[in-house]
mmCIF file of all heavy atoms in Angstrom:
data_model
loop_
_atom_site.group_PDB
_atom_site.id
_atom_site.type_symbol
_atom_site.label_atom_id
_atom_site.label_comp_id
_atom_site.label_asym_id
_atom_site.label_seq_id
_atom_site.Cartn_x
_atom_site.Cartn_y
_atom_site.Cartn_z
ATOM 1 N N ASN A 246 -12.818 5.009 0.718
ATOM 2 C CA ASN A 246 -11.525 5.704 0.768
ATOM 3 C C ASN A 246 -11.449 6.586 2.009
ATOM 4 O O ASN A 246 -10.417 6.639 2.681
ATOM 5 C CB ASN A 246 -11.315 6.576 -0.474
ATOM 6 C CG ASN A 246 -10.907 5.802 -1.700
ATOM 7 O OD1 ASN A 246 -10.553 4.640 -1.633
ATOM 8 N ND2 ASN A 246 -10.965 6.460 -2.839
ATOM 9 N N ALA A 247 -12.546 7.275 2.317
ATOM 10 C CA ALA A 247 -12.574 8.144 3.504
ATOM 11 C C ALA A 247 -12.420 7.328 4.785
ATOM 12 O O ALA A 247 -11.684 7.732 5.706
ATOM 13 C CB ALA A 247 -13.872 8.955 3.530
ATOM 14 N N ALA A 248 -13.093 6.182 4.852
ATOM 15 C CA ALA A 248 -12.956 5.323 6.036
ATOM 16 C C ALA A 248 -11.522 4.828 6.173
ATOM 17 O O ALA A 248 -10.963 4.790 7.280
ATOM 18 C CB ALA A 248 -13.928 4.145 5.942
ATOM 19 N N ALA A 249 -10.900 4.471 5.046
ATOM 20 C CA ALA A 249 -9.513 3.992 5.061
ATOM 21 C C ALA A 249 -8.560 5.106 5.490
ATOM 22 O O ALA A 249 -7.641 4.877 6.286
ATOM 23 C CB ALA A 249 -9.124 3.443 3.687
ATOM 24 N N ALA A 250 -8.781 6.316 4.985
ATOM 25 C CA ALA A 250 -7.911 7.447 5.335
ATOM 26 C C ALA A 250 -8.003 7.765 6.821
ATOM 27 O O ALA A 250 -6.982 8.002 7.492
ATOM 28 C CB ALA A 250 -8.286 8.664 4.505
ATOM 29 N N THR A 251 -9.218 7.761 7.345
ATOM 30 C CA THR A 251 -9.419 8.036 8.773
ATOM 31 C C THR A 251 -8.692 7.008 9.623
ATOM 32 O O THR A 251 -8.022 7.350 10.600
ATOM 33 C CB THR A 251 -10.924 8.031 9.105
ATOM 34 O OG1 THR A 251 -11.551 9.061 8.343
ATOM 35 C CG2 THR A 251 -11.179 8.257 10.574
ATOM 36 N N HIS A 252 -8.807 5.740 9.228
ATOM 37 C CA HIS A 252 -8.171 4.697 10.036
ATOM 38 C C HIS A 252 -6.648 4.742 9.920
ATOM 39 O O HIS A 252 -5.946 4.512 10.915
ATOM 40 C CB HIS A 252 -8.700 3.313 9.674
ATOM 41 C CG HIS A 252 -8.283 2.284 10.669
ATOM 42 N ND1 HIS A 252 -8.535 2.402 12.021
ATOM 43 C CD2 HIS A 252 -7.598 1.127 10.530
ATOM 44 C CE1 HIS A 252 -8.031 1.377 12.668
ATOM 45 N NE2 HIS A 252 -7.450 0.577 11.781
ATOM 46 N N SER A 253 -6.120 5.041 8.750
ATOM 47 C CA SER A 253 -4.663 5.140 8.603
ATOM 48 C C SER A 253 -4.094 6.215 9.516
ATOM 49 O O SER A 253 -3.091 6.000 10.205
ATOM 50 C CB SER A 253 -4.299 5.441 7.144
ATOM 51 O OG SER A 253 -4.613 4.352 6.323
ATOM 52 N N ARG A 254 -4.737 7.369 9.528
ATOM 53 C CA ARG A 254 -4.289 8.468 10.399
ATOM 54 C C ARG A 254 -4.418 8.070 11.874
ATOM 55 O O ARG A 254 -3.545 8.358 12.696
ATOM 56 C CB ARG A 254 -5.075 9.739 10.103
ATOM 57 C CG ARG A 254 -4.602 10.947 10.870
ATOM 58 C CD ARG A 254 -5.325 12.204 10.447
ATOM 59 N NE ARG A 254 -4.955 12.637 9.122
ATOM 60 C CZ ARG A 254 -3.886 13.372 8.832
ATOM 61 N NH1 ARG A 254 -3.056 13.725 9.803
ATOM 62 N NH2 ARG A 254 -3.634 13.744 7.600
ATOM 63 N N ASP A 255 -5.504 7.395 12.217
ATOM 64 C CA ASP A 255 -5.731 6.996 13.602
ATOM 65 C C ASP A 255 -4.718 5.955 14.061
ATOM 66 O O ASP A 255 -4.239 6.002 15.197
ATOM 67 C CB ASP A 255 -7.161 6.477 13.767
ATOM 68 C CG ASP A 255 -7.558 6.296 15.226
ATOM 69 O OD1 ASP A 255 -7.214 7.163 16.054
ATOM 70 O OD2 ASP A 255 -8.201 5.284 15.543
ATOM 71 N N MET A 256 -4.365 5.003 13.191
ATOM 72 C CA MET A 256 -3.332 4.025 13.568
ATOM 73 C C MET A 256 -2.021 4.732 13.861
ATOM 74 O O MET A 256 -1.311 4.374 14.807
ATOM 75 C CB MET A 256 -3.133 2.980 12.465
ATOM 76 C CG MET A 256 -4.231 1.957 12.368
ATOM 77 S SD MET A 256 -3.835 0.584 11.247
ATOM 78 C CE MET A 256 -3.644 1.418 9.672
ATOM 79 N N SER A 257 -1.690 5.751 13.059
ATOM 80 C CA SER A 257 -0.466 6.508 13.304
ATOM 81 C C SER A 257 -0.518 7.188 14.670
ATOM 82 O O SER A 257 0.453 7.154 15.428
ATOM 83 C CB SER A 257 -0.260 7.545 12.195
ATOM 84 O OG SER A 257 0.801 8.410 12.521
ATOM 85 N N ALA A 258 -1.654 7.792 14.978
ATOM 86 C CA ALA A 258 -1.802 8.468 16.276
ATOM 87 C C ALA A 258 -1.665 7.479 17.433
ATOM 88 O O ALA A 258 -1.112 7.814 18.483
ATOM 89 C CB ALA A 258 -3.151 9.187 16.340
ATOM 90 N N GLN A 259 -2.169 6.262 17.238
ATOM 91 C CA GLN A 259 -2.065 5.227 18.276
ATOM 92 C C GLN A 259 -0.703 4.538 18.271
ATOM 93 O O GLN A 259 -0.368 3.829 19.215
ATOM 94 C CB GLN A 259 -3.134 4.150 18.053
ATOM 95 C CG GLN A 259 -4.551 4.627 18.202
ATOM 96 C CD GLN A 259 -5.499 3.478 17.977
ATOM 97 O OE1 GLN A 259 -5.597 2.571 18.811
ATOM 98 N NE2 GLN A 259 -6.195 3.491 16.854
ATOM 99 N N ASN A 260 0.027 4.705 17.172
ATOM 100 C CA ASN A 260 1.323 4.057 16.950
ATOM 101 C C ASN A 260 1.236 2.534 17.064
ATOM 102 O O ASN A 260 2.096 1.883 17.645
ATOM 103 C CB ASN A 260 2.393 4.604 17.902
ATOM 104 C CG ASN A 260 3.788 4.249 17.421
ATOM 105 O OD1 ASN A 260 4.036 4.161 16.225
ATOM 106 N ND2 ASN A 260 4.696 4.010 18.356
ATOM 107 N N ARG A 261 0.172 1.993 16.463
ATOM 108 C CA ARG A 261 0.048 0.537 16.387
ATOM 109 C C ARG A 261 -0.918 0.169 15.267
ATOM 110 O O ARG A 261 -1.948 0.796 15.089
ATOM 111 C CB ARG A 261 -0.392 -0.079 17.699
ATOM 112 C CG ARG A 261 -1.751 0.326 18.173
ATOM 113 C CD ARG A 261 -2.071 -0.396 19.469
ATOM 114 N NE ARG A 261 -3.276 0.161 20.062
ATOM 115 C CZ ARG A 261 -3.792 -0.270 21.171
ATOM 116 N NH1 ARG A 261 -3.214 -1.258 21.824
ATOM 117 N NH2 ARG A 261 -4.885 0.258 21.670
ATOM 118 N N PRO A 262 -0.540 -0.871 14.507
ATOM 119 C CA PRO A 262 -1.432 -1.330 13.450
ATOM 120 C C PRO A 262 -2.443 -2.329 14.011
ATOM 121 O O PRO A 262 -2.086 -3.424 14.413
ATOM 122 C CB PRO A 262 -0.478 -2.008 12.458
ATOM 123 C CG PRO A 262 0.640 -2.506 13.312
ATOM 124 C CD PRO A 262 0.752 -1.545 14.463
ATOM 125 N N TRP A 263 -3.681 -1.897 14.093
ATOM 126 C CA TRP A 263 -4.730 -2.812 14.502
ATOM 127 C C TRP A 263 -6.046 -2.312 13.967
ATOM 128 O O TRP A 263 -6.153 -1.188 13.483
ATOM 129 C CB TRP A 263 -4.706 -3.074 15.993
ATOM 130 C CG TRP A 263 -5.190 -2.000 16.912
ATOM 131 C CD1 TRP A 263 -5.021 -0.648 16.800
ATOM 132 C CD2 TRP A 263 -5.936 -2.195 18.103
ATOM 133 N NE1 TRP A 263 -5.601 -0.006 17.847
ATOM 134 C CE2 TRP A 263 -6.175 -0.926 18.673
ATOM 135 C CE3 TRP A 263 -6.425 -3.312 18.759
ATOM 136 C CZ2 TRP A 263 -6.879 -0.752 19.856
ATOM 137 C CZ3 TRP A 263 -7.120 -3.128 19.942
ATOM 138 C CH2 TRP A 263 -7.338 -1.867 20.477
ATOM 139 N N HIS A 264 -7.061 -3.150 14.040
ATOM 140 C CA HIS A 264 -8.317 -2.865 13.362
ATOM 141 C C HIS A 264 -9.279 -2.001 14.165
ATOM 142 O O HIS A 264 -10.357 -1.676 13.666
ATOM 143 C CB HIS A 264 -8.997 -4.167 12.957
ATOM 144 C CG HIS A 264 -8.236 -4.923 11.923
ATOM 145 N ND1 HIS A 264 -8.228 -4.570 10.591
ATOM 146 C CD2 HIS A 264 -7.413 -5.994 12.024
ATOM 147 C CE1 HIS A 264 -7.459 -5.397 9.917
ATOM 148 N NE2 HIS A 264 -6.946 -6.266 10.763
ATOM 149 N N PHE A 265 -8.915 -1.591 15.366
ATOM 150 C CA PHE A 265 -9.819 -0.781 16.183
ATOM 151 C C PHE A 265 -9.308 0.645 16.303
ATOM 152 O O PHE A 265 -8.122 0.883 16.472
ATOM 153 C CB PHE A 265 -10.015 -1.418 17.553
ATOM 154 C CG PHE A 265 -10.743 -2.730 17.431
ATOM 155 C CD1 PHE A 265 -10.040 -3.916 17.353
ATOM 156 C CD2 PHE A 265 -12.127 -2.769 17.329
ATOM 157 C CE1 PHE A 265 -10.695 -5.124 17.183
ATOM 158 C CE2 PHE A 265 -12.793 -3.969 17.164
ATOM 159 C CZ PHE A 265 -12.072 -5.146 17.093
ATOM 160 N N GLY A 266 -10.233 1.581 16.220
ATOM 161 C CA GLY A 266 -9.885 2.994 16.318
ATOM 162 C C GLY A 266 -9.597 3.394 17.754
ATOM 163 O O GLY A 266 -9.927 2.674 18.698
ATOM 164 N N SER A 267 -9.017 4.555 17.918
ATOM 165 C CA SER A 267 -8.697 5.046 19.260
ATOM 166 C C SER A 267 -9.963 5.272 20.086
ATOM 167 O O SER A 267 -9.907 5.300 21.313
ATOM 168 C CB SER A 267 -7.877 6.338 19.171
ATOM 169 O OG SER A 267 -8.569 7.295 18.404
#
Side-chain angles (χ1 to χ4, degrees):
N246 282 348
T251 299
H252 192 55
S253 293
R254 185 175 290 276
D255 191 41
M256 286 189 298
S257 171
Q259 295 181 71
N260 197 33
R261 63 178 170 179
W263 74 322
H264 294 283
F265 294 94
S267 56

